[in-house]
Amino acid sequence: MKEHQELILDGTKINWHLDRVSKWENGERIAPITIDMALTRACNYSCGFCYAMFQENDRKIITQKIIFDFLEDCAEIGVKGISFVSDGESTISPVFIDACKKGYELGLSMAVGTNAFVLTKNRLEEVLPYLTYLRVNFSAGERKRYSEIMGVKETAFDRVCQNIKDMVAIKKRDNLPVTIGMQMVLMPQDGDQIIPLAKLGKELRPDYVIIKHCTDNEDGGLGIDYNAYEKLYPLLKEAENYSDSDYKVVIKWSKIKDKGNSGRSYQRCYGAPFMLQLSGTGLVAPCGALFNEKYKKFHIGNICDQRFKDIWKSDKYWEVMNYLASPKFNAQKMCASLCLQHKVNEALDAHVKGKATLKLKQTNKTKPQHINFV
Protein backbone atom coordinates (compact mmCIF):
# COMPACT_ATOMS: atom_id res chain seq x y z
CA MET A 1 0.00 0.00 0.00
CA LYS A 2 1.35 3.41 -0.89
CA GLU A 3 1.70 5.29 2.37
CA HIS A 4 1.11 8.70 0.80
CA GLN A 5 -2.32 7.64 -0.47
CA GLU A 6 -5.12 7.54 2.06
CA LEU A 7 -7.37 4.47 2.11
CA ILE A 8 -10.93 5.67 2.84
CA LEU A 9 -12.99 2.74 4.12
CA ASP A 10 -15.50 4.58 6.31
CA GLY A 11 -16.74 7.50 4.25
CA THR A 12 -17.18 8.59 0.65
CA LYS A 13 -14.94 9.84 -2.14
CA ILE A 14 -17.68 11.88 -3.84
CA ASN A 15 -15.60 15.01 -3.10
CA TRP A 16 -13.15 13.98 -5.80
CA HIS A 17 -15.90 13.87 -8.45
CA LEU A 18 -17.20 17.42 -8.26
CA ASP A 19 -17.43 17.66 -12.06
CA ARG A 20 -20.14 15.01 -12.01
CA VAL A 21 -21.85 16.56 -8.99
CA SER A 22 -21.96 19.87 -10.87
CA LYS A 23 -23.55 18.25 -13.95
CA TRP A 24 -26.11 16.53 -11.72
CA GLU A 25 -27.00 19.84 -10.06
CA ASN A 26 -27.51 21.34 -13.50
CA GLY A 27 -30.02 18.62 -14.36
CA GLU A 28 -27.76 16.71 -16.75
CA ARG A 29 -28.10 12.95 -17.11
CA ILE A 30 -24.91 11.68 -15.52
CA ALA A 31 -23.34 8.24 -15.81
CA PRO A 32 -22.71 6.42 -12.52
CA ILE A 33 -19.20 6.83 -11.14
CA THR A 34 -19.30 3.35 -9.61
CA ILE A 35 -21.44 0.33 -10.44
CA ASP A 36 -21.73 -2.42 -7.85
CA MET A 37 -22.89 -5.67 -9.46
CA ALA A 38 -22.72 -9.46 -9.44
CA LEU A 39 -22.07 -11.82 -12.34
CA THR A 40 -24.43 -14.44 -10.91
CA ARG A 41 -27.02 -14.87 -8.17
CA ALA A 42 -25.48 -18.21 -7.22
CA CYS A 43 -23.30 -18.62 -4.15
CA ASN A 44 -21.31 -21.49 -2.64
CA TYR A 45 -21.73 -20.14 0.94
CA SER A 46 -24.82 -19.63 3.11
CA CYS A 47 -23.88 -16.84 5.51
CA GLY A 48 -26.32 -16.12 8.33
CA PHE A 49 -26.10 -12.36 7.70
CA CYS A 50 -26.73 -12.56 3.94
CA TYR A 51 -28.96 -9.78 2.66
CA ALA A 52 -29.19 -11.36 -0.79
CA MET A 53 -31.87 -13.75 0.43
CA PHE A 54 -34.29 -10.80 0.32
CA GLN A 55 -33.36 -9.92 -3.26
CA GLU A 56 -34.79 -12.72 -5.37
CA ASN A 57 -35.86 -11.71 -8.86
CA ASP A 58 -36.28 -13.31 -12.28
CA ARG A 59 -33.00 -15.11 -12.95
CA LYS A 60 -31.13 -14.71 -16.22
CA ILE A 61 -27.60 -15.72 -17.17
CA ILE A 62 -24.87 -13.12 -17.71
CA THR A 63 -22.79 -14.59 -20.55
CA GLN A 64 -19.43 -13.39 -21.77
CA LYS A 65 -21.01 -11.44 -24.63
CA ILE A 66 -23.46 -9.75 -22.28
CA ILE A 67 -20.79 -8.69 -19.79
CA PHE A 68 -18.40 -7.56 -22.53
CA ASP A 69 -21.15 -5.44 -24.13
CA PHE A 70 -21.99 -4.04 -20.69
CA LEU A 71 -18.38 -3.11 -19.91
CA GLU A 72 -17.97 -1.47 -23.33
CA ASP A 73 -21.11 0.58 -22.71
CA CYS A 74 -19.86 1.60 -19.26
CA ALA A 75 -16.54 2.80 -20.67
CA GLU A 76 -18.37 4.67 -23.45
CA ILE A 77 -20.78 6.62 -21.22
CA GLY A 78 -18.24 7.46 -18.51
CA VAL A 79 -18.56 4.90 -15.71
CA LYS A 80 -15.27 4.77 -13.81
CA GLY A 81 -15.33 1.73 -11.53
CA ILE A 82 -17.02 -1.68 -11.49
CA SER A 83 -17.10 -3.71 -8.29
CA PHE A 84 -18.22 -7.34 -8.48
CA VAL A 85 -19.97 -7.58 -5.11
CA SER A 86 -23.79 -7.26 -4.98
CA ASP A 87 -26.08 -10.31 -4.56
CA GLY A 88 -24.01 -13.31 -5.71
CA GLU A 89 -20.53 -14.86 -5.63
CA SER A 90 -19.08 -13.50 -8.87
CA THR A 91 -15.90 -15.61 -8.72
CA ILE A 92 -17.89 -18.77 -9.47
CA SER A 93 -19.19 -17.31 -12.73
CA PRO A 94 -17.32 -18.73 -15.76
CA VAL A 95 -16.90 -15.17 -17.09
CA PHE A 96 -15.32 -13.70 -13.93
CA ILE A 97 -11.65 -13.54 -14.94
CA ASP A 98 -12.41 -12.50 -18.53
CA ALA A 99 -14.69 -9.73 -17.25
CA CYS A 100 -12.01 -8.35 -14.91
CA LYS A 101 -9.45 -8.35 -17.71
CA LYS A 102 -11.84 -6.82 -20.27
CA GLY A 103 -12.90 -4.02 -17.91
CA TYR A 104 -9.27 -3.24 -17.08
CA GLU A 105 -8.34 -3.10 -20.77
CA LEU A 106 -11.21 -0.66 -21.36
CA GLY A 107 -9.78 1.67 -18.72
CA LEU A 108 -12.28 0.83 -15.98
CA SER A 109 -11.18 0.27 -12.40
CA MET A 110 -12.17 -3.30 -11.48
CA ALA A 111 -12.68 -4.79 -8.02
CA VAL A 112 -14.26 -7.77 -6.30
CA GLY A 113 -15.78 -8.70 -2.95
CA THR A 114 -15.69 -12.48 -2.51
CA ASN A 115 -15.61 -15.37 -0.08
CA ALA A 116 -12.42 -16.31 -2.01
CA PHE A 117 -13.08 -20.06 -1.77
CA VAL A 118 -12.38 -20.67 -5.48
CA LEU A 119 -9.59 -18.09 -5.72
CA THR A 120 -6.75 -20.58 -5.46
CA LYS A 121 -3.22 -19.68 -6.51
CA ASN A 122 -3.56 -20.28 -10.27
CA ARG A 123 -6.72 -18.16 -10.54
CA LEU A 124 -5.14 -15.43 -8.42
CA GLU A 125 -2.16 -15.32 -10.77
CA GLU A 126 -4.62 -14.70 -13.62
CA VAL A 127 -6.81 -12.04 -12.05
CA LEU A 128 -4.83 -9.99 -9.50
CA PRO A 129 -3.03 -7.79 -12.08
CA TYR A 130 -6.40 -6.44 -13.27
CA LEU A 131 -7.90 -5.53 -9.89
CA THR A 132 -7.87 -2.28 -7.92
CA TYR A 133 -8.92 -4.11 -4.78
CA LEU A 134 -9.84 -7.62 -3.68
CA ARG A 135 -11.89 -7.83 -0.49
CA VAL A 136 -12.41 -11.20 1.18
CA ASN A 137 -15.64 -11.63 3.12
CA PHE A 138 -14.40 -13.33 6.26
CA SER A 139 -16.70 -12.92 9.25
CA ALA A 140 -14.90 -14.89 11.96
CA GLY A 141 -11.39 -15.46 13.25
CA GLU A 142 -11.75 -19.04 14.43
CA ARG A 143 -12.28 -22.19 12.38
CA LYS A 144 -15.42 -23.50 14.08
CA ARG A 145 -17.13 -20.12 14.31
CA TYR A 146 -16.27 -19.38 10.65
CA SER A 147 -18.09 -22.58 9.73
CA GLU A 148 -21.13 -21.65 11.84
CA ILE A 149 -21.39 -18.01 10.73
CA MET A 150 -20.65 -18.51 7.03
CA GLY A 151 -22.52 -21.78 6.52
CA VAL A 152 -19.68 -23.95 5.22
CA LYS A 153 -17.48 -26.84 6.36
CA GLU A 154 -14.63 -26.04 8.74
CA THR A 155 -12.10 -27.00 6.05
CA ALA A 156 -13.19 -23.93 4.06
CA PHE A 157 -11.52 -21.78 6.73
CA ASP A 158 -8.14 -23.39 6.05
CA ARG A 159 -8.54 -23.17 2.29
CA VAL A 160 -9.46 -19.48 2.29
CA CYS A 161 -6.66 -18.62 4.74
CA GLN A 162 -4.20 -20.24 2.30
CA ASN A 163 -5.76 -18.32 -0.59
CA ILE A 164 -5.25 -15.06 1.33
CA LYS A 165 -1.61 -15.97 2.00
CA ASP A 166 -1.16 -16.66 -1.72
CA MET A 167 -2.74 -13.37 -2.82
CA VAL A 168 -0.56 -11.43 -0.38
CA ALA A 169 2.55 -13.27 -1.64
CA ILE A 170 1.69 -12.68 -5.33
CA LYS A 171 1.07 -9.00 -4.68
CA LYS A 172 4.41 -8.66 -2.91
CA ARG A 173 6.34 -10.71 -5.49
CA ASP A 174 5.04 -8.73 -8.48
CA ASN A 175 4.69 -5.39 -6.68
CA LEU A 176 1.05 -5.18 -7.75
CA PRO A 177 -0.98 -2.08 -6.85
CA VAL A 178 -4.04 -4.15 -5.81
CA THR A 179 -5.28 -3.61 -2.25
CA ILE A 180 -6.12 -6.81 -0.37
CA GLY A 181 -8.58 -6.70 2.50
CA MET A 182 -10.66 -8.92 4.75
CA GLN A 183 -14.14 -7.87 5.84
CA MET A 184 -16.28 -8.98 8.74
CA VAL A 185 -20.01 -8.35 8.56
CA LEU A 186 -20.64 -8.16 12.29
CA MET A 187 -23.90 -9.35 13.75
CA PRO A 188 -24.13 -8.33 17.42
CA GLN A 189 -24.23 -11.96 18.60
CA ASP A 190 -20.89 -12.67 16.90
CA GLY A 191 -18.84 -10.19 18.93
CA ASP A 192 -16.68 -13.05 20.22
CA GLN A 193 -14.97 -13.10 16.80
CA ILE A 194 -13.81 -9.48 16.75
CA ILE A 195 -10.44 -10.02 18.43
CA PRO A 196 -9.73 -13.43 16.83
CA LEU A 197 -10.23 -11.85 13.41
CA ALA A 198 -7.97 -8.89 14.20
CA LYS A 199 -5.28 -11.38 15.30
CA LEU A 200 -5.76 -13.62 12.26
CA GLY A 201 -5.41 -10.66 9.92
CA LYS A 202 -2.15 -9.73 11.60
CA GLU A 203 -0.88 -13.24 10.78
CA LEU A 204 -2.16 -13.35 7.18
CA ARG A 205 -1.03 -9.76 6.42
CA PRO A 206 -3.66 -8.31 4.08
CA ASP A 207 -3.57 -4.51 3.85
CA TYR A 208 -6.56 -4.22 6.15
CA VAL A 209 -9.32 -5.94 8.06
CA ILE A 210 -12.58 -4.02 8.14
CA ILE A 211 -15.37 -4.69 10.62
CA LYS A 212 -18.75 -3.34 9.57
CA HIS A 213 -22.40 -3.40 10.62
CA CYS A 214 -24.95 -5.81 9.18
CA THR A 215 -27.54 -4.29 6.86
CA ASP A 216 -31.15 -5.32 7.45
CA ASN A 217 -34.09 -4.88 5.12
CA GLU A 218 -36.88 -2.36 5.70
CA ASP A 219 -38.97 -5.04 7.48
CA GLY A 220 -36.14 -6.10 9.82
CA GLY A 221 -35.95 -9.56 8.24
CA LEU A 222 -32.60 -10.43 9.83
CA GLY A 223 -33.69 -9.15 13.23
CA ILE A 224 -30.64 -6.96 13.83
CA ASP A 225 -30.75 -5.12 17.17
CA TYR A 226 -28.72 -2.03 16.26
CA ASN A 227 -28.58 -0.87 19.86
CA ALA A 228 -26.74 -4.09 20.76
CA TYR A 229 -23.61 -2.93 18.91
CA GLU A 230 -22.90 -0.44 21.69
CA LYS A 231 -21.82 -3.12 24.14
CA LEU A 232 -19.20 -4.24 21.58
CA TYR A 233 -17.50 -0.83 21.38
CA PRO A 234 -14.71 -1.79 23.85
CA LEU A 235 -13.86 -4.91 21.81
CA LEU A 236 -13.92 -2.93 18.57
CA LYS A 237 -11.57 -0.32 20.03
CA GLU A 238 -9.28 -3.09 21.26
CA ALA A 239 -9.23 -4.62 17.78
CA GLU A 240 -7.97 -1.34 16.31
CA ASN A 241 -4.85 -1.71 18.44
CA TYR A 242 -3.71 -4.67 16.34
CA SER A 243 -2.94 -2.26 13.49
CA ASP A 244 0.68 -1.67 12.52
CA SER A 245 2.49 0.23 9.77
CA ASP A 246 1.43 -2.22 7.01
CA TYR A 247 -1.80 -3.64 8.41
CA LYS A 248 -4.87 -1.72 9.52
CA VAL A 249 -7.88 -2.83 11.51
CA VAL A 250 -10.65 -0.46 10.44
CA ILE A 251 -14.01 -0.20 12.19
CA LYS A 252 -16.89 1.37 10.26
CA TRP A 253 -17.72 3.51 13.26
CA SER A 254 -19.93 5.99 11.41
CA LYS A 255 -22.44 3.36 10.33
CA ILE A 256 -22.21 1.22 13.47
CA LYS A 257 -22.97 4.27 15.62
CA ASP A 258 -25.84 5.33 13.34
CA LYS A 259 -27.88 2.41 14.73
CA GLY A 260 -29.84 1.55 11.60
CA ASN A 261 -32.41 3.87 10.08
CA SER A 262 -32.58 5.91 13.28
CA GLY A 263 -29.30 7.49 12.21
CA ARG A 264 -30.44 8.39 8.70
CA SER A 265 -30.45 12.19 8.47
CA TYR A 266 -31.90 12.41 4.95
CA GLN A 267 -35.16 11.49 3.25
CA ARG A 268 -34.23 11.84 -0.42
CA CYS A 269 -31.98 9.34 -2.17
CA TYR A 270 -29.56 11.34 -4.32
CA GLY A 271 -26.83 8.70 -4.42
CA ALA A 272 -28.23 6.15 -6.87
CA PRO A 273 -27.28 8.04 -10.09
CA PHE A 274 -23.68 8.21 -8.78
CA MET A 275 -23.50 4.67 -7.40
CA LEU A 276 -25.75 2.18 -9.19
CA GLN A 277 -26.33 -1.47 -8.37
CA LEU A 278 -27.08 -4.45 -10.61
CA SER A 279 -28.24 -7.89 -9.60
CA GLY A 280 -26.48 -11.08 -10.67
CA THR A 281 -29.55 -11.68 -12.84
CA GLY A 282 -28.65 -8.67 -14.98
CA LEU A 283 -31.39 -6.55 -13.42
CA VAL A 284 -30.72 -2.80 -13.32
CA ALA A 285 -32.24 -1.16 -10.23
CA PRO A 286 -31.18 1.84 -8.12
CA CYS A 287 -29.90 -0.31 -5.27
CA GLY A 288 -29.75 -3.85 -3.95
CA ALA A 289 -32.59 -3.25 -1.51
CA LEU A 290 -34.92 -2.88 -4.49
CA PHE A 291 -33.95 -6.03 -6.43
CA ASN A 292 -36.86 -8.10 -5.13
CA GLU A 293 -39.79 -8.67 -7.49
CA LYS A 294 -42.11 -6.80 -5.11
CA TYR A 295 -40.25 -3.58 -6.02
CA LYS A 296 -40.87 -4.04 -9.74
CA LYS A 297 -41.81 -0.38 -10.23
CA PHE A 298 -38.14 0.45 -9.54
CA HIS A 299 -36.82 -2.13 -12.03
CA ILE A 300 -35.40 -0.26 -15.00
CA GLY A 301 -34.26 -3.00 -17.36
CA ASN A 302 -31.97 -6.00 -17.72
CA ILE A 303 -28.57 -6.11 -19.43
CA CYS A 304 -29.38 -9.66 -20.60
CA ASP A 305 -32.18 -8.21 -22.72
CA GLN A 306 -30.95 -4.74 -23.65
CA ARG A 307 -27.69 -2.81 -23.98
CA PHE A 308 -26.86 -0.93 -20.80
CA LYS A 309 -26.26 2.35 -22.59
CA ASP A 310 -29.81 2.19 -23.94
CA ILE A 311 -31.20 1.42 -20.48
CA TRP A 312 -29.24 4.36 -19.07
CA LYS A 313 -30.54 6.70 -21.77
CA SER A 314 -34.15 5.60 -21.30
CA ASP A 315 -36.88 7.74 -19.76
CA LYS A 316 -37.61 4.90 -17.33
CA TYR A 317 -34.10 5.12 -15.83
CA TRP A 318 -34.44 8.81 -15.13
CA GLU A 319 -38.05 8.56 -13.96
CA VAL A 320 -36.89 6.17 -11.23
CA MET A 321 -33.87 8.28 -10.28
CA ASN A 322 -35.96 11.45 -10.13
CA TYR A 323 -38.62 9.73 -8.03
CA LEU A 324 -36.01 8.71 -5.42
CA ALA A 325 -34.84 12.33 -5.23
CA SER A 326 -38.38 13.71 -4.91
CA PRO A 327 -40.60 14.55 -1.90
CA LYS A 328 -42.67 11.45 -2.77
CA PHE A 329 -39.82 9.26 -1.47
CA ASN A 330 -38.73 8.96 2.16
CA ALA A 331 -35.55 6.96 2.75
CA GLN A 332 -36.12 7.01 6.51
CA LYS A 333 -39.27 4.91 6.11
CA MET A 334 -38.91 3.12 2.78
CA CYS A 335 -35.30 1.90 2.72
CA ALA A 336 -33.10 -0.83 4.13
CA SER A 337 -30.85 0.23 6.99
CA LEU A 338 -27.43 1.73 6.27
CA CYS A 339 -27.41 1.02 2.54
CA LEU A 340 -24.47 1.06 0.13
CA GLN A 341 -25.25 4.64 -0.93
CA HIS A 342 -25.64 5.89 2.67
CA LYS A 343 -22.42 7.94 2.94
CA VAL A 344 -22.85 9.38 -0.57
CA ASN A 345 -26.42 10.31 0.33
CA GLU A 346 -25.34 12.01 3.55
CA ALA A 347 -22.78 14.13 1.69
CA LEU A 348 -25.11 15.07 -1.19
CA ASP A 349 -28.04 15.80 1.13
CA ALA A 350 -25.94 18.14 3.27
CA HIS A 351 -24.64 19.77 0.08
CA VAL A 352 -28.12 20.31 -1.38
CA LYS A 353 -29.37 21.75 1.91
CA GLY A 354 -26.38 24.08 2.15
CA LYS A 355 -25.23 22.54 5.42
CA ALA A 356 -21.88 21.34 4.14
CA THR A 357 -20.89 22.35 0.61
CA LEU A 358 -18.90 19.69 -1.20
CA LYS A 359 -15.34 20.82 -1.81
CA LEU A 360 -12.34 19.02 -3.18
CA LYS A 361 -10.55 17.48 -0.24
CA GLN A 362 -6.79 17.71 -0.05
CA THR A 363 -5.37 14.56 1.51
CA ASN A 364 -1.60 14.84 1.67
CA LYS A 365 -1.86 16.74 -1.62
CA THR A 366 -2.87 13.60 -3.50
CA LYS A 367 -5.94 11.58 -4.40
CA PRO A 368 -7.01 8.72 -2.12
CA GLN A 369 -6.78 5.10 -3.20
CA HIS A 370 -9.67 3.53 -5.11
CA ILE A 371 -10.95 6.95 -6.18
CA ASN A 372 -13.35 5.44 -8.71
CA PHE A 373 -15.22 3.54 -6.00
CA VAL A 374 -17.18 6.33 -4.29
Side-chain angles (χ1 to χ4, degrees), residues 152-325:
V152 288
K153 294 179 180 179
E154 289 186 25
T155 51
F157 176 89
D158 306 316
R159 174 168 166 155
V160 176
C161 283
Q162 184 58 52
N163 290 349
I164 293 170
K165 289 178 184 177
D166 287 340
M167 60 184 74
V168 170
I170 293 167
K171 170 184 171 168
K172 186 175 182 180
R173 182 197 71 199
D174 295 343
N175 194 29
L176 297 175
V178 61
T179 303
I180 296 168
M182 296 168 67
Q183 174 174 279
M184 178 187 201
V185 177
L186 175 63
M187 294 183 84
Q189 63 266 34
D190 298 328
D192 63 298
Q193 292 304 292
I194 292 170
I195 301 304
L197 180 63
K199 289 180 177 178
L200 179 64
K202 202 169 179 74
E203 293 173 19
L204 298 178
R205 307 305 295 175
D207 296 302
Y208 67 85
V209 160
I210 189 166
I211 300 175
K212 60 168 284 188
H213 64 290
C214 183
T215 295
D216 208 344
N217 74 341
E218 72 280 11
D219 299 321
L222 290 174
I224 306 298
D225 178 2
Y226 285 100
N227 290 314
Y229 282 113
E230 197 164 350
K231 66 183 180 184
L232 301 178
Y233 289 178
L235 282 173
L236 292 168
K237 288 175 181 174
E238 182 185 341
E240 290 177 317
N241 293 329
Y242 284 88
S243 299
D244 57 42
S245 59
D246 298 313
Y247 164 69
K248 304 299 178 190
V249 178
V250 179
I251 314 300
K252 277 203 170 183
W253 285 113
S254 69
K255 284 191 175 182
I256 288 174
K257 289 183 175 181
D258 269 351
K259 297 184 178 179
N261 273 347
S262 62
R264 198 176 239 129
S265 61
Y266 55 89
Q267 294 181 334
R268 314 284 169 262
C269 176
Y270 296 129
F274 295 89
M275 194 175 193
L276 187 69
Q277 287 185 273
L278 269 68
S279 171
T281 65
L283 173 70
V284 180
C287 66
L290 299 174
F291 286 165
N292 192 285
E293 282 295 305
K294 67 180 179 180
Y295 300 115
K296 212 165 184 68
K297 71 175 183 178
F298 296 104
H299 295 178
I300 302 164
N302 192 302
I303 63 169
C304 298
D305 302 327
Q306 189 179 9
R307 291 289 294 242
F308 177 66
K309 61 184 176 184
D310 295 327
I311 295 172
W312 173 73
K313 289 175 183 176
S314 71
D315 290 339
K316 173 71 172 177
Y317 184 100
W318 292 102
E319 284 168 7
V320 171
M321 295 302 169
N322 292 335
Y323 173 78
L324 295 175

Side-chain angles (χ1 to χ4, degrees), residues 47-100:
C47 302
F49 52 80
C50 183
Y51 189 92
M53 70 176 73
F54 302 123
Q55 299 172 322
E56 194 59 55
N57 59 79
D58 187 23
R59 296 202 179 198
K60 297 187 178 183
I61 305 299
I62 299 176
T63 63
Q64 186 187 75
K65 182 182 188 316
I66 288 167
I67 192 63
F68 278 17
D69 286 349
F70 171 81
L71 293 168
E72 287 170 3
D73 287 351
C74 286
E76 180 182 327
I77 70 173
V79 175
K80 296 185 177 183
I82 306 285
S83 53
F84 291 135
V85 187
S86 200
D87 60 347
E89 177 55 44
S90 290
T91 63
I92 65 175
S93 164
V95 303
F96 168 67
I97 291 176
D98 288 342
C100 293

